[in-house]
Amino acid sequence: MTIVVTGGAGFIGGNFVYYILKNHPDDKVICYDKLTYAGNLETLADAQDNPNFKFVRGDISNRAEVYKLFEEEKPEVIVNFAAESHVDRSIEDPELFLRTNIIGTSILLDACKKFGIKRFHQVSTDEVYGDLPLDRPDLFFTETTNLHTSSPYSASKASADLLVQAYQRTYQIPATISRCSNNYGPYHFPEKLIPLMIINALNGKKLPVYGTGENVRDWLYVEDHCAAIDLIIRKGRVGEVYNIGGHNERTNLQVVKTILKILGKGEDLIEFVTDRKGHDQRYAIDPTKISTELGWNPTTKFDDGIQKTVAWYLENRGWWEKIISGEYKEYYSKMYDNR
Ligand code: NAD
Ligand code: TYD
């Protein structure tokens, strides 16, 4: 099978490339990535020598480039990870999110319509469901929960989901969608909560917790997410949405304190800063459908996954030190100085 992984030089896409090469050695994997600030060829360094792997630089919102990709590579499956993915950046500047996440997805779908495809899989997020109140721990997102977005990021992802469903119904594109909770693990870009806190703690910098740190996220180890997508593209039913999550809910403060404890650092590094605008309170996935229908269940508990993740950042300083010495510095001072 020839699989095009868009956004494969990013966090989850990169992990997915390795997952497929390891678990399906007969598959051919083509990573198609624009290499934005979040894309990093060093993430794919260990795949470059694999004869079943190829990297193609390109933009999902460039129609000519996407059509050329389809003509030359003749993909059977597309897994679309490519996106602008950071909520804080979307609050600062929404437009690029609309171009990449909505227009880009529509161009990929047009290519599927024009050239044909066996499966188009859209990697979506639980953020399309909005948030749940903190005082209702009995509530969870199911696949039929209404779409109700809070940030330009989540609105763009929900728009893309609706387009995928429209193309599936109107043009019979064999599409599936997965909506996953927050991921963590190796190669996670340091603008996101977990890697940012690990790296700041290692560098003796303050750990900026938004608001009171009571917001809840449902954390999934990235390899479990990759396993779920792999099952969906092979066994999932066309036209279906699958929620992915593992009942690993933690408040942000719990996450930050756990990281400090693993690193043997004091909680005096925590600094409460101005809250995110429109900050979602709680995300929590009900994964019953994918568990009963496809037999997927997460294998890594948060307490083990976070240990493995911290160990990875300790062992791979070169990967992240290069990132934080570049344009990331400007980003950090724009977002965090005077917050
Ligand atoms: P990321 O920001 O780490 O990586 C995104 C990748 O997409 C980068 O390699 C970037 O270069 C590439 N890209 C961006 N714009 C592109 C374009 N126009 N054309 C081609 N490539 C482009 O993101 P991530 O955290 O790995 O998330 C991947 C996907 O999973 C996204 O669609 C995101 O919405 C979704 N998702 C993420 C999480 C999470 O916790 N990180 C949870 C659920 C769903
Ligand atoms: P993030 O990793 O940006 O993921 P998302 O917003 O998609 O859930 O943030 C996770 C949580 O951590 C979210 O509630 C915002 C919070 N947060 C902080 O408190 N401080 C930070 O510096 C960052 C980046 C996030």
Side-chain angles (χ1 to χ4, degrees), residues 281-302:
Q281 294 187 40
R282 171 175 169 252
Y283 302 143
I285 284 276
D286 175 354
T288 306
K289 180 175 174 180
I290 188 165
S291 170
T292 51
E293 206 179 300
L294 302 181
W296 175 87
N297 288 297
T299 57
T300 303
K301 291 199 183 74
F302 185 77

Side-chain angles (χ1 to χ4, degrees), residues 224-275:
D224 280 326
H225 186 188
C226 295
I229 294 172
D230 183 40
L231 264 180
I232 296 168
I233 60 176
R234 288 163 211 275
K235 298 194 177 133
R237 284 182 296 139
V238 164
E240 293 294 316
V241 173
Y242 294 91
N243 280 357
I244 309 172
H247 291 300
N248 280 303
E249 287 180 53
R250 296 284 186 285
T251 67
N252 293 339
L253 209 47
Q254 283 172 325
V255 170
V256 171
K257 287 183 179 176
T258 304
I259 291 169
L260 287 170
K261 200 167 166 203
I262 296 171
L263 289 171
K265 304 272 182 178
E267 290 182 9
D268 52 320
L269 280 179
I270 295 173
E271 181 176 55
F272 292 96
V273 301
T274 308
D275 208 353

